[in-house]
């Protein structure tokens, strides 16, 4: 049976496959062929348990892993931890990442449906060959007692080494202080390393979070291996077979998750970029048609359009590829698309720092009023990529461009709370300084009519009260080419 599966995975299934290839239900594993009750799977203990949002508060996906075929993939659950009186049978797929010494990983998935929002469920996963500990989760429902809405932990760039924010997020998840995690790219550093053992260790480390609240994932550059195969196979996101781009509604917000990596990993073909761009247009169009019911539109992509970090990343360039599209042709640029469809908040990571931007579009910064985040005429960008990893934090340029409002180079993570259709709050928690807040600000839409595609009057408002940053803009004399030239000339004359 194992030889047959090897043949199936390596030869019959295309090398670049973005769908989960489930094993036949009537399969007979090797250990079963021996017809000996004393023999079972060698490694049947489940681990790396993670739940994710199923696209509706009544649905949750449960994913876990074993290192052998247990034949059955079961979730037992109920409202009393002593009496797990409901069960659901899931499916199992084999994951071989095509490393030189690929490890056989069995990824199990089960869907829990007809959940009652607000009810707490206890559950464990496994089979007769091994069960996980009993965990619990609460089916998603808006908070009632302290202002309403949902609370999200937001971060990127969390690794197995120096995962500085991990403990704080684990504690908050278990205490019920968070409803969901939004991980905006870069996991483990890297999931494919050591034949995937780094990915296994990462998923064990986040289990004290992901077993209790939905863990929602965005692909980043550290997931590039073999066309993002670890990301595609290890996670289970809603409305997608591949997890690379998808969307979902929760409460007052429509979340749009996409891959910035298609723009930089073109060895896999331009069609990935094209397909995603066409999907984004269609998804944002539908989201705007439903804006009276779900007003906020929030995007999540790994590499930002703007930043003020002291490095050579795309966001430091005048024509960022993510912002303006491919060189020369400007194909598949995202800034104009997001502006035309009225995206409210754009969440990013990649830079190992925190930076909040003033509302900005096409390098025009809305920073000339005392309430720039009240009915802003452009999207608000937030970069929070400092959860903690082996690469340490990034440094900023000394004098930031005008779009930069708040910056921090300490490790930490974001807390976003969407209270209702008009008020959204974002905090950046500094774990390096014991949990102090680096930032705390509100985005306010005074009425639902301000949730809409940006129009000409928004551009006029942006230009009237904003600052345009052209290619040769000199925001500090130390950054000015002419000043640098003069200094070099003075040094030259001084020599002689």
């Amino acid at each position: 049976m194992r030889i047959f599966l090897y043949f199936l995975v390596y030869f019959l299934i295309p090398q670049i496959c973005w769908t989960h290839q489930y094993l036949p239900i009537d399969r007979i594993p090797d250990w079963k062929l021996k017809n000996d009750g004393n023999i079972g799977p060698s490694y049947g203990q489940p681990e790396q348990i993670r739940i994710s949002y199923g696209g509706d508060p009544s649905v949750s996906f449960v994913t876990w892993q074993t290192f052998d075929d247990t034949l059955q993939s079961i979730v037992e659950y109920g409202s009393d931890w002593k009496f797990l009186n409901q069960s659901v049978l899931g499916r199992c797929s084999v994951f071989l990442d095509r490393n030189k010494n690929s490890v056989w990983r069995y990824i199990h998935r089960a869907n829990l449906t007809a959940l009652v929002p607000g009810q707490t469920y206890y559950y464990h996963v496994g089979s007769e060959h091994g069960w996980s500990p009993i965990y619990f989760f609460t089916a998603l429902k808006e908070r009632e007692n302290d202002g309403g809405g949902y609370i999200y932990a937001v971060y990127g760039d969390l690794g197995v080494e120096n995962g500085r924010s991990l403990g704080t997020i684990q504690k908050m998840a278990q205490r019920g202080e968070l409803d969901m995690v939004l991980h905006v790219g870069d996991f483990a550093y890297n999931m494919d390393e050591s034949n995937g053992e780094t990915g296994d260790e990462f998923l064990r480390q986040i289990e004290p979070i992901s077993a209790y609240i939905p863990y929602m994932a965005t692909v980043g550059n550290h997931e590039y291996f073999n066309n993002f195969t670890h990301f595609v196979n290890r996670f289970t996101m809603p409305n997608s077979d591949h997890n690379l781009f998808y969307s979902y509604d929760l409460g007052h917000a429509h979340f749009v998750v996409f891959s910035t990596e298609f723009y930089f990993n073109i060895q896999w073909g331009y069609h990935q970029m094209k397909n995603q761009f066409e999907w984004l247009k269609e998804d944002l169009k539908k989201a705007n048609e439903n804006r009276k019911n779900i007003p906020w539109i929030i995007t999540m992509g790994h590499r930002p359009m703007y930043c003020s970090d002291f490095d050579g990343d795309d966001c430091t360039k005048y024509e960022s590829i993510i912002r303006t599209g491919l060189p020369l042709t400007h194909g598949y640029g995202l800034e104009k698309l997001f502006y035309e469809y009225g995206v409210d908040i754009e969440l990013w990571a990649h830079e190992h720092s925190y930076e909040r931007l003033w509302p900005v579009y096409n390098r025009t910064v809305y920073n000339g009023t005392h309430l720039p985040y009240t009915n802003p005429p452009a999207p608000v960008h937030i970069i929070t990529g400092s959860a903690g990893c082996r690469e340490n934090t990034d440094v900023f340029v000394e004098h930031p461009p005008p779009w930069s409002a708040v910056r921090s180079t300490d490790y930490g993570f974001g807390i976003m709370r969407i209270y209702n259709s008009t008020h959204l709050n974002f905090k950046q928690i500094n774990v390096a300084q014991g949990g102090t807040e680096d930032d705390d600000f509100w985005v306010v839409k005074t009425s639902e009519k301000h949730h809409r595609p940006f129009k000409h009057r928004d551009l006029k408002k942006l230009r009237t009260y904003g600052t345009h940053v052209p290619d040769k803009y000199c925001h500090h004399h130390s950054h000015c080419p002419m000043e640098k030239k003069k200094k070099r000339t003075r040094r030259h004359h001084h020599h002689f």
Side-chain angles (χ1 to χ4, degrees):
M1 180 65 183
R2 195 177 179 90
I3 295 173
F4 169 74
L5 290 176
Y6 186 91
F7 178 80
L8 180 70
V9 170
Y10 269 88
F11 296 101
L12 297 187
I13 296 173
Q15 184 171 356
I16 305 305
C17 185
W18 276 359
T19 58
H20 304 131
Q21 302 292 325
Y22 290 110
L23 298 178
I25 295 175
D26 59 352
R27 68 190 182 278
I28 303 176
D30 290 347
W31 55 267
K32 194 75 172 177
L33 287 171
K34 297 178 181 178
N35 199 26
D36 184 345
N38 291 310
I39 297 175
S42 298
Y43 306 101
Q45 179 61 30
E47 59 176 58
Q48 307 172 36
I49 293 93
R50 47 206 181 273
I51 62 174
S52 51
Y53 178 55
D56 185 275
S58 66
V59 180
S60 286
F61 301 148
V62 187
T63 307
W64 68 97
Q65 181 177 306
T66 60
F67 289 94
D68 207 339
D69 186 359
T70 58
L71 196 55
Q72 290 189 316
S73 309
I74 304 171
V75 180
E76 295 182 342
Y77 64 105
S79 56
D80 184 342
W81 70 273
K82 295 181 180 179
F83 187 52
L84 305 180
N85 61 335
Q86 301 180 70
S87 68
V88 62
L89 186 63
R91 298 291 301 274
C92 176
S93 58
V94 173
F95 172 40
L96 291 167
D97 67 1
R98 301 179 192 275
N99 263 311
K100 183 177 180 181
N101 300 302
S102 289
V103 174
W104 286 73
R105 291 179 173 86
Y106 294 81
I107 310 296
H108 306 259
R109 294 178 172 87
N111 300 345
L112 305 186
T113 60
L115 301 173
V116 179
Q119 181 170 318
T120 297
Y121 293 89
Y122 299 87
Y123 75 101
H124 65 176
V125 306
S127 69
E128 65 171 305
H129 305 291
W131 291 98
S132 73
I134 293 177
Y135 294 106
F136 63 86
F137 71 93
T138 300
L140 290 169
K141 183 180 181 182
E142 290 200 43
R143 292 170 177 255
E144 298 175 348
N145 300 324
D146 54 350
Y150 292 98
I151 302 177
Y152 305 83
V154 186
Y155 55 85
D157 303 80
L158 179 65
V160 298
E161 300 173 59
N162 198 31
R164 193 64 183 82
S165 302
L166 188 64
T168 304
I169 301 167
Q170 289 171 340
K171 184 181 290 187
M172 292 181 71
Q174 294 173 22
R175 287 179 172 179
E177 298 171 10
L178 299 171
D179 297 307
M180 181 180 286
V181 164
L182 308 178
H183 189 145
V184 194
D186 281 4
F187 302 76
Y189 285 72
N190 294 346
M191 286 197 286
D192 62 284
E193 286 191 2
S194 300
N195 282 325
E197 291 178 11
T198 303
D200 295 330
E201 177 59 24
F202 176 80
L203 292 171
R204 294 184 193 110
Q205 289 184 8
I206 67 165
E207 186 173 288
I209 305 168
S210 63
Y212 296 95
I213 62 175
Y215 203 97
M216 309 305 288
T218 305
V219 72
N221 57 294
H222 279 269
E223 287 71 68
Y224 71 93
F225 176 77
N226 197 16
N227 205 11
F228 319 108
T229 185
H230 278 265
F231 184 84
V232 168
N233 283 278
R234 289 181 183 266
F235 290 103
T236 311
M237 296 296 114
N239 306 313
S240 173
D241 288 328
H242 49 67
N243 309 321
L244 295 167
F245 51 88
Y246 60 95
S247 66
Y248 57 92
D249 300 328
L250 182 60
H252 297 279
H254 178 71
F255 292 91
V256 183
V257 181
F258 65 97
S259 170
T260 58
E261 302 317 297
F262 293 161
Y263 292 78
F264 301 92
N265 291 272
I266 58 175
Q267 69 271 26
W268 303 113
Y270 287 91
H271 65 283
Q272 298 186 156
M273 203 183 314
K274 178 181 183 296
N275 292 342
Q276 174 178 263
F277 193 81
E278 295 302 319
W279 174 86
L280 281 168
K281 286 196 296 184
E282 188 64 26
D283 185 81
L284 289 169
K285 179 182 177 182
K286 291 179 180 177
N288 272 280
E289 291 170 353
N290 192 37
R291 211 136 189 191
K292 287 186 177 180
N293 299 315
I294 302 175
W296 294 96
I297 296 180
I298 299 173
T299 61
M300 287 182 283
H302 184 60
R303 303 197 203 202
M305 297 181 185
Y306 300 88
C307 67
S308 65
D309 293 84
F310 185 66
D311 54 35
D313 286 348
D314 183 59
C315 53
T316 66
K317 304 294 192 294
Y318 175 66
E319 288 196 343
S320 153
I321 292 175
I322 298 302
R323 187 175 75 82
T324 61
L326 297 175
L328 301 178
T329 65
H330 297 300
Y332 311 119
L334 294 175
E335 185 176 40
K336 184 179 179 182
L337 178 70
F338 290 172
Y339 191 81
E340 289 177 345
Y341 283 101
V343 170
D344 297 297
I345 308 290
E346 300 183 24
L347 299 175
W348 311 94
H350 189 61
E351 305 303 315
H352 297 176
S353 54
Y354 170 76
E355 187 165 16
R356 184 236 300 175
L357 276 58
W358 302 111
V360 59
Y361 171 66
N362 196 26
R363 296 176 68 90
T364 303
V365 184
Y366 187 65
N367 60 350
T369 73
H370 70 289
L371 292 173
Y373 298 104
T374 298
N375 302 325
V380 177
H381 296 242
I382 302 168
I383 305 166
T384 177
S386 55
C389 67
R390 68 190 180 195
E391 295 183 355
N392 299 319
T393 56
D394 289 338
V395 296
F396 292 110
V397 295
E398 184 178 356
H399 304 285
W403 53 67
S404 183
V406 175
R407 308 189 299 176
S408 172
T409 59
D410 281 335
Y411 280 127
F413 63 97
I415 298 291
M416 181 176 69
R417 183 164 186 177
I418 305 173
Y419 282 85
N420 48 43
S421 62
T422 59
H423 286 72
L424 181 152
N425 177 257
F426 195 97
K427 297 179 174 69
Q428 178 71 8
I429 307 302
N430 187 323
V431 297
Q433 302 297 328
T436 58
E437 293 177 2
D438 281 332
D439 197 13
D440 184 352
F441 78 103
W442 293 81
V443 180
V444 178
K445 305 277 186 168
T446 55
S447 70
E448 293 184 1
K449 70 179 182 180
H450 291 287
H451 289 288
R452 54 167 173 74
F454 294 108
K455 299 180 179 179
H456 179 73
R457 63 176 177 266
D458 297 298
L459 278 174
K460 184 177 180 181
K461 184 179 178 182
L462 187 64
R463 291 164 179 164
T464 301
Y465 299 101
T467 302
H468 181 60
V469 186
D471 185 15
K472 303 301 181 183
Y473 182 88
C474 184
H475 56 276
H476 189 267
H477 64 82
S478 65
H479 294 197
C480 301
M482 289 305 296
E483 287 290 327
K484 292 179 180 178
K485 185 175 181 180
K486 288 178 182 177
K487 287 182 180 179
R488 286 196 297 270
T489 303
R490 284 196 293 266
R491 286 198 299 268
H492 180 74
H493 287 311
H494 181 71
H495 252 313
F496 288 92

Tab-separated table of all heavy atoms in Angstrom, residues 366-401:
chain	number	residue	atom	x	y	z
A	366	TYR	N	-2.102	61.716	3.597
A	366	TYR	CA	-3.142	62.529	4.245
A	366	TYR	C	-2.731	62.779	5.699
A	366	TYR	O	-3.119	62.055	6.608
A	366	TYR	CB	-4.477	61.794	4.169
A	366	TYR	CG	-5.668	62.593	4.643
A	366	TYR	CD1	-6.074	63.737	3.950
A	366	TYR	CD2	-6.398	62.200	5.756
A	366	TYR	CE1	-7.179	64.468	4.356
A	366	TYR	CE2	-7.507	62.914	6.174
A	366	TYR	CZ	-7.880	64.050	5.475
A	366	TYR	OH	-8.986	64.765	5.893
A	367	ASN	N	-1.939	63.826	5.889
A	367	ASN	CA	-1.420	64.123	7.225
A	367	ASN	C	-1.552	65.591	7.583
A	367	ASN	O	-0.847	66.103	8.447
A	367	ASN	CB	0.051	63.714	7.322
A	367	ASN	CG	0.939	64.432	6.315
A	367	ASN	OD1	0.444	65.107	5.414
A	367	ASN	ND2	2.247	64.293	6.471
A	368	GLY	N	-2.493	66.287	6.935
A	368	GLY	CA	-2.617	67.729	7.162
A	368	GLY	C	-3.837	68.140	7.947
A	368	GLY	O	-4.213	69.316	7.954
A	369	THR	N	-4.504	67.201	8.635
A	369	THR	CA	-5.648	67.533	9.478
A	369	THR	C	-5.426	66.931	10.859
A	369	THR	O	-4.566	66.078	11.048
A	369	THR	CB	-6.968	66.977	8.902
A	369	THR	OG1	-6.999	65.554	9.082
A	369	THR	CG2	-7.081	67.291	7.416
A	370	HIS	N	-6.233	67.362	11.832
A	370	HIS	CA	-6.076	66.826	13.184
A	370	HIS	C	-6.842	65.530	13.395
A	370	HIS	O	-6.704	64.900	14.435
A	370	HIS	CB	-6.503	67.874	14.230
A	370	HIS	CG	-7.976	68.149	14.267
A	370	HIS	ND1	-8.634	68.826	13.257
A	370	HIS	CD2	-8.920	67.820	15.190
A	370	HIS	CE1	-9.912	68.913	13.559
A	370	HIS	NE2	-10.120	68.317	14.717
A	371	LEU	N	-7.639	65.091	12.411
A	371	LEU	CA	-8.363	63.819	12.497
A	371	LEU	C	-8.141	63.022	11.209
A	371	LEU	O	-9.088	62.766	10.454
A	371	LEU	CB	-9.859	64.061	12.728
A	371	LEU	CG	-10.269	64.649	14.080
A	371	LEU	CD1	-11.764	64.980	14.085
A	371	LEU	CD2	-9.949	63.680	15.216
A	372	PRO	N	-6.922	62.620	10.948
A	372	PRO	CA	-6.639	61.960	9.658
A	372	PRO	C	-7.275	60.589	9.518
A	372	PRO	O	-7.432	60.107	8.386
A	372	PRO	CB	-5.114	61.854	9.659
A	372	PRO	CG	-4.739	61.828	11.104
A	372	PRO	CD	-5.717	62.728	11.786
A	373	TYR	N	-7.608	59.924	10.625
A	373	TYR	CA	-8.172	58.579	10.556
A	373	TYR	C	-9.697	58.571	10.697
A	373	TYR	O	-10.292	57.517	10.838
A	373	TYR	CB	-7.539	57.683	11.622
A	373	TYR	CG	-6.043	57.513	11.445
A	373	TYR	CD1	-5.152	58.186	12.265
A	373	TYR	CD2	-5.530	56.709	10.429
A	373	TYR	CE1	-3.775	58.052	12.090
A	373	TYR	CE2	-4.165	56.571	10.250
A	373	TYR	CZ	-3.294	57.246	11.083
A	373	TYR	OH	-1.935	57.108	10.896
A	374	THR	N	-10.309	59.752	10.673
A	374	THR	CA	-11.766	59.848	10.649
A	374	THR	C	-12.197	60.105	9.209
A	374	THR	O	-11.829	61.118	8.609
A	374	THR	CB	-12.258	60.984	11.562
A	374	THR	OG1	-11.875	60.691	12.914
A	374	THR	CG2	-13.772	61.109	11.492
A	375	ASN	N	-12.918	59.165	8.651
A	375	ASN	CA	-13.314	59.203	7.237
A	375	ASN	C	-12.111	59.497	6.340
A	375	ASN	O	-12.130	60.433	5.519
A	375	ASN	CB	-14.408	60.252	7.006
A	375	ASN	CG	-15.633	59.994	7.848
A	375	ASN	OD1	-16.011	58.850	8.091
A	375	ASN	ND2	-16.279	61.072	8.305
A	376	PRO	N	-11.048	58.707	6.466
A	376	PRO	CA	-9.849	58.977	5.660
A	376	PRO	C	-10.146	58.806	4.179
A	376	PRO	O	-10.908	57.921	3.786
A	376	PRO	CB	-8.852	57.931	6.151
A	376	PRO	CG	-9.696	56.823	6.700
A	376	PRO	CD	-10.902	57.488	7.290
A	377	PRO	N	-9.535	59.642	3.328
A	377	PRO	CA	-9.774	59.549	1.889
A	377	PRO	C	-8.872	58.545	1.181
A	377	PRO	O	-8.758	58.566	-0.051
A	377	PRO	CB	-9.470	60.971	1.414
A	377	PRO	CG	-8.407	61.436	2.348
A	377	PRO	CD	-8.711	60.812	3.670
A	378	ALA	N	-8.225	57.680	1.952
A	378	ALA	CA	-7.342	56.661	1.384
A	378	ALA	C	-7.207	55.530	2.396
A	378	ALA	O	-7.520	55.698	3.579
A	378	ALA	CB	-5.969	57.262	1.070
A	379	PRO	N	-6.736	54.355	1.960
A	379	PRO	CA	-6.567	53.233	2.893
A	379	PRO	C	-5.535	53.536	3.978
A	379	PRO	O	-4.631	54.355	3.798
A	379	PRO	CB	-6.090	52.091	1.984
A	379	PRO	CG	-6.543	52.461	0.617
A	379	PRO	CD	-6.455	53.958	0.564
A	380	VAL	N	-5.683	52.826	5.104
A	380	VAL	CA	-4.741	52.900	6.208
A	380	VAL	C	-3.884	51.643	6.187
A	380	VAL	O	-4.409	50.527	6.234
A	380	VAL	CB	-5.473	53.034	7.563
A	380	VAL	CG1	-4.468	53.024	8.712
A	380	VAL	CG2	-6.316	54.305	7.585
A	381	HIS	N	-2.565	51.811	6.119
A	381	HIS	CA	-1.626	50.695	6.070
A	381	HIS	C	-1.020	50.476	7.451
A	381	HIS	O	-0.590	51.436	8.112
A	381	HIS	CB	-0.487	50.979	5.078
A	381	HIS	CG	-0.927	51.111	3.658
A	381	HIS	ND1	-0.493	50.250	2.662
A	381	HIS	CD2	-1.746	52.003	3.034
A	381	HIS	CE1	-1.025	50.604	1.502
A	381	HIS	NE2	-1.782	51.677	1.710
A	382	ILE	N	-0.948	49.200	7.860
A	382	ILE	CA	-0.331	48.827	9.136
A	382	ILE	C	0.643	47.689	8.867
A	382	ILE	O	0.260	46.656	8.297
A	382	ILE	CB	-1.387	48.387	10.166
A	382	ILE	CG1	-2.414	49.497	10.398
A	382	ILE	CG2	-0.722	47.980	11.478
A	382	ILE	CD1	-3.642	49.037	11.184
A	383	ILE	N	1.887	47.860	9.283
A	383	ILE	CA	2.920	46.828	9.126
A	383	ILE	C	3.267	46.295	10.508
A	383	ILE	O	3.715	47.057	11.370
A	383	ILE	CB	4.189	47.394	8.459
A	383	ILE	CG1	3.839	48.053	7.125
A	383	ILE	CG2	5.233	46.297	8.265
A	383	ILE	CD1	4.957	48.936	6.570
A	384	THR	N	3.048	45.008	10.738
A	384	THR	CA	3.371	44.419	12.033
A	384	THR	C	4.031	43.060	11.811
A	384	THR	O	3.380	42.019	11.822
A	384	THR	CB	2.117	44.330	12.943
A	384	THR	OG1	2.459	43.689	14.171
A	384	THR	CG2	0.955	43.643	12.246
A	385	GLY	N	5.349	43.110	11.602
A	385	GLY	CA	6.111	41.903	11.274
A	385	GLY	C	7.192	41.596	12.290
A	385	GLY	O	8.259	41.096	11.923
A	386	SER	N	6.916	41.890	13.552
A	386	SER	CA	7.964	41.763	14.573
A	386	SER	C	7.560	40.811	15.691
A	386	SER	O	7.876	41.053	16.859
A	386	SER	CB	8.290	43.143	15.158
A	386	SER	OG	7.116	43.771	15.658
A	387	ALA	N	6.878	39.720	15.347
A	387	ALA	CA	6.461	38.773	16.387
A	387	ALA	C	7.653	38.058	17.018
A	387	ALA	O	7.594	37.649	18.179
A	387	ALA	CB	5.480	37.746	15.816
A	388	GLY	N	8.724	37.888	16.255
A	388	GLY	CA	9.937	37.298	16.815
A	388	GLY	C	10.466	36.139	15.991
A	388	GLY	O	9.732	35.185	15.726
A	389	CYS	N	11.748	36.212	15.609
A	389	CYS	CA	12.361	35.140	14.833
A	389	CYS	C	13.881	35.244	14.973
A	389	CYS	O	14.398	36.150	15.615
A	389	CYS	CB	11.933	35.203	13.372
A	389	CYS	SG	12.552	36.663	12.498
A	390	ARG	N	14.573	34.339	14.330
A	390	ARG	CA	16.031	34.279	14.454
A	390	ARG	C	16.743	35.421	13.740
A	390	ARG	O	17.941	35.641	13.947
A	390	ARG	CB	16.530	32.950	13.891
A	390	ARG	CG	16.368	32.800	12.389
A	390	ARG	CD	16.651	31.390	11.912
A	390	ARG	NE	16.503	31.259	10.466
A	390	ARG	CZ	16.418	30.092	9.842
A	390	ARG	NH1	16.446	28.962	10.531
A	390	ARG	NH2	16.285	30.046	8.523
A	391	GLU	N	16.040	36.170	12.906
A	391	GLU	CA	16.680	37.213	12.111
A	391	GLU	C	16.710	38.567	12.802
A	391	GLU	O	17.212	39.539	12.241
A	391	GLU	CB	15.979	37.334	10.755
A	391	GLU	CG	16.140	36.091	9.895
A	391	GLU	CD	15.504	36.237	8.521
A	391	GLU	OE1	14.857	37.283	8.269
A	391	GLU	OE2	15.646	35.315	7.696
A	392	ASN	N	16.134	38.664	13.990
A	392	ASN	CA	16.135	39.902	14.766
A	392	ASN	C	15.321	41.008	14.091
A	392	ASN	O	14.808	40.838	12.983
A	392	ASN	CB	17.564	40.372	15.050
A	392	ASN	CG	18.340	39.353	15.859
A	392	ASN	OD1	17.791	38.755	16.786
A	392	ASN	ND2	19.607	39.130	15.515
A	393	THR	N	15.209	42.134	14.759
A	393	THR	CA	14.378	43.219	14.253
A	393	THR	C	15.132	44.044	13.209
A	393	THR	O	16.355	44.033	13.142
A	393	THR	CB	13.936	44.143	15.395
A	393	THR	OG1	15.099	44.627	16.085
A	393	THR	CG2	13.054	43.405	16.375
A	394	ASP	N	14.363	44.772	12.394
A	394	ASP	CA	14.946	45.665	11.402
A	394	ASP	C	15.116	47.060	12.005
A	394	ASP	O	14.450	47.419	12.983
A	394	ASP	CB	14.038	45.758	10.165
A	394	ASP	CG	14.052	44.484	9.351
A	394	ASP	OD1	15.027	43.718	9.466
A	394	ASP	OD2	13.081	44.241	8.598
A	395	VAL	N	15.982	47.833	11.386
A	395	VAL	CA	16.163	49.221	11.807
A	395	VAL	C	15.517	50.133	10.772
A	395	VAL	O	15.346	49.768	9.603
A	395	VAL	CB	17.655	49.563	11.980
A	395	VAL	CG1	18.269	48.733	13.093
A	395	VAL	CG2	18.421	49.352	10.677
A	396	PHE	N	15.182	51.348	11.216
A	396	PHE	CA	14.561	52.330	10.340
A	396	PHE	C	15.593	53.332	9.828
A	396	PHE	O	16.643	53.538	10.444
A	396	PHE	CB	13.467	53.103	11.094
A	396	PHE	CG	12.269	52.284	11.449
A	396	PHE	CD1	12.011	51.945	12.776
A	396	PHE	CD2	11.376	51.853	10.478
A	396	PHE	CE1	10.889	51.202	13.114
A	396	PHE	CE2	10.263	51.114	10.807
A	396	PHE	CZ	10.014	50.781	12.121
A	397	VAL	N	15.245	53.973	8.727
A	397	VAL	CA	16.018	55.144	8.332
A	397	VAL	C	15.809	56.220	9.389
A	397	VAL	O	14.755	56.293	10.027
A	397	VAL	CB	15.592	55.660	6.944
A	397	VAL	CG1	15.904	54.630	5.871
A	397	VAL	CG2	14.115	56.032	6.914
A	398	GLU	N	16.816	57.045	9.578
A	398	GLU	CA	16.749	58.020	10.682
A	398	GLU	C	15.617	59.015	10.488
A	398	GLU	O	14.913	59.380	11.432
A	398	GLU	CB	18.083	58.754	10.799
A	398	GLU	CG	18.123	59.718	11.983
A	398	GLU	CD	19.463	60.405	12.106
A	398	GLU	OE1	20.384	60.078	11.322
A	398	GLU	OE2	19.609	61.284	12.995
A	399	HIS	N	15.422	59.473	9.272
A	399	HIS	CA	14.400	60.480	8.989
A	399	HIS	C	13.379	59.860	8.031
A	399	HIS	O	13.646	59.738	6.828
A	399	HIS	CB	15.036	61.729	8.378
A	399	HIS	CG	16.104	62.316	9.236
A	399	HIS	ND1	15.835	63.032	10.390
A	399	HIS	CD2	17.457	62.266	9.122
A	399	HIS	CE1	16.970	63.405	10.947
A	399	HIS	NE2	17.964	62.956	10.199
A	400	PRO	N	12.224	59.454	8.531
A	400	PRO	CA	11.266	58.710	7.703
A	400	PRO	C	10.566	59.601	6.686
A	400	PRO	O	10.447	60.817	6.886
A	400	PRO	CB	10.267	58.184	8.734
A	400	PRO	CG	10.301	59.187	9.841
A	400	PRO	CD	11.736	59.634	9.913
A	401	PRO	N	10.081	59.003	5.609
A	401	PRO	CA	9.256	59.741	4.645
A	401	PRO	C	7.950	60.202	5.308
A	401	PRO	O	7.577	59.716	6.374
A	401	PRO	CB	8.981	58.712	3.546
A	401	PRO	CG	10.023	57.648	3.743
A	401	PRO	CD	10.313	57.617	5.198
